[in-house]
Amino acid sequence: MIPARHQDRHRESWREELAEAITDPAELLGALGLDPALLTPALAAAARFRLRVPQAFVRRMRYGDARDPLLRQVLPVGEELLDAEGYSGDPLGEAAANPAPGLLHKYHGRALLVTTGACAVNCRYCFRREFRYDAQVSTGGRWRAALEAISADPTIEEVILSGGDPLSLSNERLGSLSGSLASIPHVRRLRVHTRTPVVLPARVDEGFAHWLAHLPWPAAVVVHVNHAQEIDAPVADAFARMRATGVTLLNQSVLLAGVNDDEGVLAALSTALFDAGVLPYYLHMLDRVRGASHFEVAEARAQGLLRGLAARLPGYLVPRLVREEAGAAGKTLIPLSTPPETCKL
Ligand SMILES: *Cc1c(COP(=O)(O)O)cnc(C)c1O
Ligand code: SF4
């Protein structure tokens, strides 16, 4: 008989791919044929927030192009070490919104469960780059206190599995989590926020599709794609496998200077998402986290880009431009145009 541990490893072959993710800046620069002069700043920035990128994502980058929009999202650079005014370690004040360790309950009806601190990729602009997961993920990863808090609050209709990335968990752990949630009668929707299907499409395996297909509630999977070049054939297949289970697929992006702050790039992203069965949901303004100021796009420019999108695409392909603000009742919607100044007489 095969020991259970080995069976798991066989069943979850994506784990091997995850273990082979590139974490050494020299290896990434070498794989893409880039200037070795990029190494010194990369090492300095990686010491603050580690490089991590699966090979499957690296394969979609253009060889020899230091300005590749996918590379820019993951390569540590010297600009991260600059201090910028207004950029901090906890830009959303999340340290204050926890009814239980691992649970963020900021918005009515929805509670966000920090299932794990792990991600398949480290995005340089991530607002959690300085988040102290050890304090947030319930001890032993068992989420007991978080589940009790959900159970005790009948206004919570929707549970959002987030992180980190919930797809860093095994299918078995996901199954036990959804099993516990199923015994809470007021929960009626489940949402999964994940970037893993994009950076490691092999993670959408049979077991995960089975889990999605058998959830006792209607569910939405919100993926995270910032540029059309991220959707290659394996990613489109992974999206199709999820869609086949009947879940709703949505996308959220972050507006990032040098990655997607261009009307044509955003339009191509929306249409590529739709082709792959995903609807654009949110386009987030950057969270002002220390080390990410070089990704900032000014609000007036963002509004101009969205006006351009709205003029060339159907309404359902125009994402909502939002900013997250500490203490707000929901994401703050940024209007496409600033209302004319009122008379101050
Ligand atoms: C973004 C977010 C949600 C979900 O917000 P929606 O507008 O419903 O997508 C819920 N809780 C927290 C803490 C969030 O940051
Ligand atoms: S996948 Fe999401 S949570 Fe993980 S590093 Fe990227 S932006 Fe942050």
Side-chain angles (χ1 to χ4, degrees), residues 92 94 97 103-108 110-113 127-128 158 160 162 191 193 222 250 252 281-282 284 320 322 324 329-331:
L92 307 181
E94 291 203 326
L103 193 70
L104 291 172
H105 188 195
K106 293 203 295 194
Y107 303 157
H108 180 79
R110 293 146 289 170
L112 187 150
L113 194 55
F127 74 101
R128 296 188 198 277
E158 176 170 346
I160 302 173
S162 185
R191 196 188 324 177
H193 281 181
V222 184
L250 302 169
Q252 48 185 346
Y281 178 36
Y282 280 145
H284 292 266
R320 269 163 271 193
V322 290
E324 217 167 319
K331 315 278 186 236

Side-chain angles (χ1 to χ4, degrees), residues 119 121-123 126 164 195 224:
C119 281
V121 63
N122 283 348
C123 310
C126 183
R195 197 172 196 210
H224 174 175

